[in-house]
Amino acid sequence: MDDQRLRVGQVFVAGGAPTITYNPRSELNLEDKILDYLDEGHRILSVSGSTKTGKTVLVRRIVPPADGIWLSGGAISSAADFWDSIAEYLGLYTSIERTSDSKDEVWRTTTGQANIGIVKGGIEGKEVVGSTSGEKVSRARNLTTQVREALRGGMTPVIIDDFHYIPQAVQMEIVRSLKDLVFDGLRVIVIAVPHRAYDVVRVEREMTGRVQQVSVGFWSQEELAGIARKGFDALKLVDKDEALISRLSDESFASPHLMQDFCLQLCKANGYRQAQDEYHQLVAPDWPSFFADRASMASKAAFDLLARGPRQRTDRKERQLKSGSVTDIYGAVLAAIAHTGPNTELTYEEIRTALKEVLSSDAPQRHEVTRILEEMTKIATNEIEGEPVVDYDVELGKLYISDPYFAFFLRWGVPDLSSL
C-alpha cells in the first residue's frame, strides 16, 4: 500500500485547516477591506460573522498578535478591565516615585591594644560617624489617562475579539472613551457575531456613520459544495449528479466545519479512507441514521443546560407535547425552536406559533416565554463555553442561534424531552 496516498482525514479536516478544501472566499475581498481600513482609519471597523466562519482567523491574518493589541471580550467585565489590559500590554506604570538623599560623614581614628601570640602591639583603626537624611515622594497617575496618551496618534491597532461578550453598559463606556482617539486616527477593530455587528452604534448613537462593516457572512450553498467537489476529486470519488453534495450542504447550516465533517463521514460510510487508484461512485447512506450519529457528538451538553434551566429550579408546571412527551416550559420552548427547522433567527411570534404546534395544551403567556428566552441567554453566556449557542435580543424581540452545531443538534439530536 502506498503510504504517501492521500487519506480522507487529510482532505476533509473537520475543525482544522484543510490543505485541499480550503476556500479563501476571494470574491468577497475580505482581506482587502481590512487593509483599506488600516490605511484610512478615523472610524471603528466591525468584523462580523457567525460562529466558525473564520472571522477571527481573517483578522489575525492581517493583524497578527505581535502587530496589534488583542483583547478578549470574554475577559472584560468593566471599563477598568479594558484599560488594565492595554496598560499591561504597553508596560505602563501607575505611579511615579522620586527619592533624594544627603549624607554627612566624619572619620575618627581609634587606637587600641591586641595580644597576638606573645607579641604585644598597638592597633590603629578608623570608624565613620555621621548622619543621613532623605525624602521620598510618590504620585499616582490615572491609568486611563496614561493609556489614552499612549494610544493617541499611534498606529498600533486595538482589536477586541468577541465584543458581544462585553456587557452593554461597559460597551458604552469603552466606545465613548475611544471615540475621540478614533477620530484622531487610532485603529479599533471589534469582532462579533452578525446580530451584534452594530452594537457599537447601538450603545453610542454618535458613532453612526463612524462604523465600517465587514461581514464574513454565511457560506453559500455553492461555497459549501465547492468543499465537497475539491475533496472528492482529490480522493477520486464521484458524486455524479451532486445529489449527495446537495443534501450535505442543505444540512450544514452554512458552516464549512459541518460540511467538512459530513464529507469525511460520507467517505468512511462508503468504505473509503484514502485516495483511490481510479474513480468510484459514492452512494447515499441511510440519511436519518447518518445525521443522527453526527448529532450525538454535537452540543448535547449545551442542550441539557438550557433544558434544565436555572440552578435554583422550583417545581414547574408540566407541559404535554403532541408527541406524547411531558416536559416543563424550558423543554417546551426548546421543542418549539427545534420545530421551526430550526431557523437560526426567530421572532417571538414565530416561537409562539411553534409552541402552539408542539403543545397539546395552551401556549404559555408572552411574558413567560420571553422570561425563559432571557434565562436561556444568561445560561448560554455564563455557563456554556464558547459562543453563546442562543441569544435573545430583548430590544429587537428576536432569538438568534449563533452556533451551527447547536442548530444541527436541535434538528437531529434532540432527546426525549420527557426525560429532562
Side-chain angles (χ1 to χ4, degrees):
M1 183 179 294
D2 184 3
D3 292 334
Q4 301 303 312
R5 186 176 299 174
L6 275 176
R7 298 191 67 81
V8 173
Q10 293 175 279
V11 178
F12 299 110
V13 186
T19 56
I20 293 176
T21 60
Y22 173 71
N23 186 342
R25 310 182 76 188
S26 54
E27 69 280 1
L28 300 179
N29 297 317
L30 298 174
E31 294 185 3
D32 286 341
K33 290 176 181 178
I34 296 176
L35 288 170
D36 288 344
Y37 166 74
L38 293 174
D39 286 342
E40 299 163 11
H42 301 292
R43 59 180 67 88
I44 290 178
L45 177 67
S46 176
V47 178
S48 62
S50 61
T51 303
K52 300 177 180 68
T53 52
K55 55 187 182 295
T56 299
V57 173
L58 168 68
V59 178
R60 281 180 177 265
R61 187 179 180 90
I62 305 302
V63 187
D67 296 336
I69 302 172
W70 278 80
L71 307 174
S72 172
I76 299 173
S77 58
S78 68
D81 290 339
F82 174 76
W83 298 114
D84 282 343
S85 298
I86 298 180
E88 184 72 22
Y89 177 90
L90 297 174
L92 299 179
Y93 298 95
T94 59
S95 64
I96 299 174
E97 186 174 283
R98 185 180 71 250
T99 303
S100 62
D101 293 299
S102 63
K103 179 185 291 186
D104 294 320
E105 296 179 344
V106 177
W107 289 85
R108 186 170 65 195
T109 300
T110 60
T111 303
Q113 297 290 326
N115 293 320
I116 305 174
I118 60 174
V119 180
K120 178 181 285 187
I123 297 178
E124 184 178 275
K126 290 186 178 182
E127 62 178 337
V128 179
V129 179
S131 63
T132 62
S133 64
E135 179 186 55
K136 181 182 290 186
V137 179
S138 63
R139 177 171 64 87
R141 296 198 68 199
N142 181 275
L143 181 66
T144 302
T145 301
Q146 285 189 83
V147 175
R148 285 172 53 80
E149 288 176 358
L151 293 177
R152 189 179 298 278
M155 293 302 293
T156 302
V158 175
I159 301 97
I160 310 174
D161 199 3
D162 293 328
F163 185 71
H164 50 282
Y165 282 5
I166 302 175
Q168 194 169 78
V170 178
Q171 288 181 344
M172 181 181 297
E173 284 188 70
I174 292 172
V175 172
R176 283 183 175 175
S177 60
L178 287 175
K179 184 168 57 178
D180 63 320
L181 298 178
V182 170
F183 294 168
D184 287 343
L186 175 67
R187 275 63 168 170
V188 176
I189 301 175
V190 299
I191 304 174
V193 291
H195 60 282
R196 296 295 185 187
Y198 287 90
D199 274 3
V200 174
V201 175
R202 289 174 66 183
V203 300
E204 181 51 68
R205 299 298 180 186
E206 290 186 27
M207 292 305 297
T208 301
R210 291 284 189 173
V211 178
Q212 178 181 337
Q213 297 289 335
V214 171
S215 175
V216 174
F218 292 103
W219 284 58
S220 68
Q221 296 290 90
E222 181 60 25
E223 286 174 321
L224 294 170
I227 292 174
R229 293 189 193 109
K230 289 180 181 179
F232 291 158
D233 186 62
L235 296 166
K236 290 194 174 181
L237 300 175
V238 179
D239 177 17
K240 188 173 182 180
D241 58 4
E242 295 202 349
L244 304 179
I245 292 176
S246 178
R247 182 61 190 273
L248 295 181
S249 59
D250 285 343
E251 299 290 348
S252 293
F253 287 95
S255 167
H257 288 245
L258 275 174
M259 188 66 179
Q260 290 161 18
D261 185 47
F262 291 163
C263 292
L264 172 67
Q265 301 306 327
L266 179 63
C267 292
K268 291 182 178 179
N270 275 262
Y272 302 119
R273 293 181 175 271
Q274 60 186 17
Q276 302 301 296
D277 294 325
E278 56 187 37
Y279 283 93
H280 293 269
Q281 174 69 41
L282 290 166
V283 298
D286 175 59
W287 288 120
S289 297
F290 178 85
F291 290 121
D293 287 344
R294 307 281 73 71
S296 66
M297 298 178 287
S299 298
K300 184 180 186 305
F303 178 88
D304 289 345
L305 285 170
L306 295 178
R308 183 200 64 197
R311 293 185 183 277
Q312 59 273 24
R313 170 175 191 155
T314 58
D315 290 338
R316 296 173 185 157
K317 179 181 176 180
E318 290 187 345
R319 308 279 176 170
Q320 180 81 40
L321 301 181
K322 290 180 180 178
S323 65
S325 297
V326 177
T327 185
D328 62 15
I329 190 169
Y330 282 85
V333 169
L334 285 170
I337 294 170
H339 182 71
T340 67
N343 295 330
T344 54
E345 181 178 320
L346 290 163
T347 64
Y348 164 78
E349 288 72 20
E350 290 172 320
I351 295 172
R352 183 167 176 79
T353 298
L355 276 166
K356 291 178 179 179
E357 293 173 353
V358 301
L359 285 169
S360 59
S361 55
D362 292 338
Q365 296 297 312
R366 182 186 184 99
H367 72 276
E368 294 180 278
V369 177
T370 56
R371 178 178 62 81
I372 297 307
L373 295 175
E374 289 179 40
E375 288 291 343
M376 286 185 174
T377 299
K378 290 178 184 176
I379 293 169
T381 301
N382 300 324
E383 299 185 35
I384 299 172
E385 293 184 5
E387 298 275 6
V389 294
V390 294
D391 186 0
Y392 181 63
D393 190 311
V394 177
E395 184 179 341
L396 299 178
K398 284 187 177 181
L399 177 74
Y400 299 90
I401 300 178
S402 306
D403 189 335
Y405 281 84
F406 185 70
F408 177 68
F409 181 83
L410 288 179
R411 181 170 174 81
W412 290 101
V414 174
D416 181 4
L417 290 170
S418 62
S419 65
L420 299 174

